[in-house]
Amino acid sequence: MVPGEENQLVPKEIENAAEEPRVLCIIQDTTNSKTVSERITLNLPASTPVRKLFEDVANKVGYINGTFDLTWGNGVNTADTAPLDHTSDKSLLDANFEPGKKNFLHLTDKDGEPPQMLLEDSNNVDDSVHDRFIGPLPREGSVASTNDYVSQSYSYSSILSKSETGYVGLVNQAMTCYLNSLLQTLFMTPEFRNALYKWEFEDSEEDPVTSIPYQLQRLFVLLQTSKKRAIETTDVTRSFGWDSSEAWQQHDVQELCRVMFDALEQKWKQTEQADLINELYQGKLKDYVRCLECGYEGWRIDTYLDIPLVIRPYGSSQAFASVEEALHAFIQPEILDGPNQYFCERCKKKCDARKGLRFLHFPYLLTLQLKRFDFDYTTMHRIKLNDRMSFPEELDMSTFIDIEDEKSPQTESCTDSGAENEGSCHSDQMSNDFSTDDAVDEGICLESSSGSEKISKPGLEKNSLMYELFSVMVHSGSAAGGHYYACIKSFSDDQWYSFNDQHVSRITQEDIKKTHGGSSGSRGYYSSAFASSTNAYMLIYRLKDPTRNAKFLEVDEYPEHIKNLVQKERELEEQEKRQREIERNTCKIKLFCLHPVKQVMMENKLEVHKDKTLKEAVEMAYKMMDLEDVIPLDCCRLVKYDEFHDYLERSYEGEEDTPMGLLLGGVKSTYMFDLLLETRKPDQIFQSYKPGEVMVKVHVVDLKAETVAAPVTVRAYLNQTVTEFKQLISKATHLPADSMRIVLERCYNDLRLLSMPSKTLKAEGFFRSNKVFVESSETVDHQAAFTDSHLWKLLDRHANTIRLFVLLPEQSPGSYSKRTAYQKAGGDSGNVDDDCERVKGPAGNLKSVDAILEESTEKLKSLSLQQQQDGDNGDSSKSTETSDFENIESPLNERGSSTSVDNRDLDQHIQTSDPENFQSEERSDSDVNNDRSTSSVDSDILSSSHSSDTLCNADSAQIPLANGLDSHSITSSRRTKANEGKKETWDTAEEDSGTDSEYDESGKSRGDMQYMYFKADPYTADEGSGEGHKWLMVHVDKRITLAAFKQHLEPFVGVLSSHFKVFRVYTSNQEFETVRLNETLSSFSDDNKITIRLGRALKKGEYRVKVCQLLVNEQEPCKFLLDAVFAKGMTVRQSKEELIPQLREQCGLDLSIDRFRLRKKTWKNPGTVFLDYHIYEEDINISSNWEVFLEVLDGVEKMKSMSQLAILTRRWRPAEMKLDPFQELVLESNSVDELREKLSEISGIPLEDIEFAKGRGTFPCDISVLDIHQDLDWNPKVSTLNVWPLYICDDGAVIFYRDKTEEVMELTDEQRNELMKKESSRLQKTGHRVTYSPRKEKALKIYLDGAPNKDVAQD
């Protein structure tokens, strides 16, 4: 037997606990008492009484027991819907709970009233836990027991009830914990709070939004009187002139203290509080230097608002043990001897001297800053010193006051520059000294102005300088970031509290000692690294003086304006509470409405109180959708709607007086359905929608006219047979049911013929919302197999037909007044003949589009023959764009007189007399936005396509799909010669050869192999599209290839498809050229836009190339010139020959073929130099959208072979702090010795003094002149250029070089700052990051006028 075991008695219930079955309860909170509903899980013994279950649930969710009900959920026992009895002593097993299974319960309102929230002071256990915690608080509910689990969900209600401490917290906006800590400290300072309350805001003098003292007053009043757990600080930060981005900037709390005090002093000028900050926080000290030979002392009086105390002396591994020790070190003088001797004015020579600081006066509120942030010069990183430094609760400062100073015999005001600059410890100088150590961490950039003052006698006896600690601002984290909170002692009850953002809790003196820092054990030199990162950073003491120590003003002692402010804030808080109550009882649900006139589905959010009736909700929705002037109110109603499936679930007949809360199932954060505001015409009646019905959209198909009508909606039941369904459709469409064929579209292009009369709709695959096509003609098409029938082909084509809007090229200016007046496409008629549009000619005669297209096609045939003849006689090896345009121009000009009338009628031919217009059109779209010299033609096309966003909606009209000879279909008369003999209006294509080229060797584009539908209608775009532009509305089968699509567009454009390009317009109005003619339009969708531009399309083996000029010594080294076409097998010299005329005409560059080169372009970097004899696709890989650099040469080309290496060099002159321009060196090998020799040649630097380094980053490898001398890897120990760390294997590398005997210019601080600004400006313009600036964070600023833009330059 184990010793002592005989005395251990185990209760019977614990003995059986392991054997007892357990019940898993999952409770979902369905009430609206919290903004986010909770779901909790309890695992209880089966013998647990139901009464205990209610108690456990109440504790978990924070409700008072007895104010809520528990009902069975959807998991088990769904038949029993009566709520459980919260007083029952029945066990869970007897109450029908099932052990070993999930038992789902719903927490609901009791008798229609929401549950009451459980106040925190009723849960003493939880409070005691928080009372002992002073660090960063964990999330609520993050600690769970082994038997139960609470799901994590934030509840806004947690900040609505005040902490049991009586104090109110502050909400952290994002990273404003440093601000919250300081504000709570100021609030808990009686002298500061009382003085702030005495100040009165004048409405006539300042805007309350930008008044910092007024917003602080409001905040303090709320902290004192609010019933909330925490309040926001956004009004205070707004008065600082901060925007929301400042909430994400963490700053130093000591920096904030100084900046805020300075702002308050500025705001309080000419008021009773003008000197408040100095009276409370300002002390004085003397900065002195005393000659050790004659006793002469030079001094200066400085003021301070805080005393910065070093944690660890410079160069030491041992930290100061206490604040007292650090204070002694602060005033410890140093001896100036040796090279640091002081020049004595009296001795007229350099003498040994004592330099130091003496405290003359301590402030009423003493602020000590523990300088925990430092810079490690070994690792070159910021660090935080976590060493232990103790601080007393009471601090006697009498040992640090200078009593001897009163009888200092011979002191004079020192004007020696050494004392001024080195020994001064004015508050500014101290701040600057602090900034030197911590600028990287804190981002301090401040200036203040206060002159020297006369010495004032201490006026205090030594024994009266006893201070008591009342605020400790704690930092938890590292030098990179962390969290601030404050531990503050209340002068009302001498109790310590932790103010951790919105959480306020009691703590003890022992908790304060934990903030001293350090670790429990000794780890030697690295003790700081292993110490706790949570430690005191800023201490505030108050002088113990009964005559001055104030108490907080009582309510009856408030000034009248504060009493008014208290009343005003209480009213606002009550109003906010009422508004929250309204929000808690407001149903928010999506609302849709199909506009009865515009036929556009509108969407909005309906917010209606749960007690409002359905009739009132309809009126609200009616006004929300702006239907007052459209239809009467009694022609509208609300119905339950499923927007995702476009399904009307049910209507609410006879429930006009029912509250919306009951109809919608209560107030919920989200609903699984929507509402539709349904409308009717005055002579119609509303249809009744019953739950369980399915909605069917019926499209009537006319096989003869090949049209599909707009849908008619019918309601059916899933248990209906197909025969019954036909009778239902027959009533709605007036079609005979006997010959009716019904086709169900189950999903995209999945057509199913309903051929079994006795089958139910459910068996056929009907769902909530369905789409069917019906046809009832007496034709032989009934006898054919469905997939071979005309009906199937028509529906298949309908499913794949998309509507595109095509912008045709701009008309010539002379034809503006004679443009064709097109009528907007899309009518109500389903007849093909009626749907034909007419166009009006210049003489007023009506001419059909058919006739115009016939004449236009004949001209295109002649043009095609003429081009083929010209192409056979010309040189096919070189094909410049100019020659192609000339081929177009000649035949059109020859027919100028005979075709002018026809061109005016059709208005589809583009004037081609100006070849520059064609060349400008040839540019790819991706460069239109990049090149600033975009032609006027391109600019007009862009502006017109960008402005035509709103297009007509013809969905409600019948879509004629016939390929008959109507005026909009493209007939056989418009076919080019290459496709003569093919079936009318259908396209054929050769098999795809798998190549990316657009045209075969003969220049003819590849067509389509399948029969594809195409139909074009003239379309009038909205105003703003620009004059001279024409639109087509095209219905086309998206399985058509781009080649066939372009052939269909030929008569509308007026040139062959090989001489215009297709650009797809995306939602952002960006345009990209579509070039793969063998690909289909499957990526396009309804209402996409297309822009047509003139310009020769690519032939097989051709590539469009962007040509950019390389300007190595310009601020922007890359300048776009033009788009060119390079062909496979072409030499570099041939491409240069073709570029010369284009460069002359488009760019104004008159170059000879030997005075420029082409080279590889990789993003911004220049690469391999292309030699004249190189062949594209053999020696040089080329691809679509390729880019090359064109570089103008100063002399003859030096690159003759691929074994040479072209390097860009740049000399660095440290004595002048400048970089010379780039010079190119051509090396015969990759030898470092040859590089040195060539550098010595061009610079005159002796070979042995040459040092070089490779540039970093992308060309031009910019670097600050302040960094280049030490940051680059100078003089690498290598013999060849192609090894580490150089890796120079290709042309275009950047090499910096210097003379190693040249010394770096010594800069004064003023020169360095000036150079920093110039370099910052230069590098920012070139897009390179400035690396020399030590500032990592944004400086903290408070803008007194609320206008941050006035201080931007200072940053």
Side-chain angles (χ1 to χ4, degrees), residues 804-808 939-952 1019-1027 1029-1032 1063 1065-1069 1071 1087-1092:
L804 303 175
F805 292 93
V806 180
L807 177 66
L808 298 176
S939 300
D940 291 341
I941 289 177
L942 277 172
S943 63
S944 65
S945 64
H946 292 177
S947 62
S948 56
D949 292 332
T950 309
L951 303 174
C952 76
Y1019 169 72
T1020 302
D1022 291 341
E1023 294 182 6
S1025 296
E1027 298 218 3
H1029 294 292
K1030 270 180 36 180
W1031 287 86
L1032 290 179
F1063 289 84
V1065 184
Y1066 289 85
T1067 52
S1068 58
N1069 285 333
E1071 298 182 357
D1087 296 344
N1088 279 174
K1089 297 179 191 175
I1090 289 175
T1091 298
I1092 303 297

Side-chain angles (χ1 to χ4, degrees), residues 400 421 857 992 998:
F400 305 103
N421 292 332
T857 307
D992 182 13
E998 302 178 15

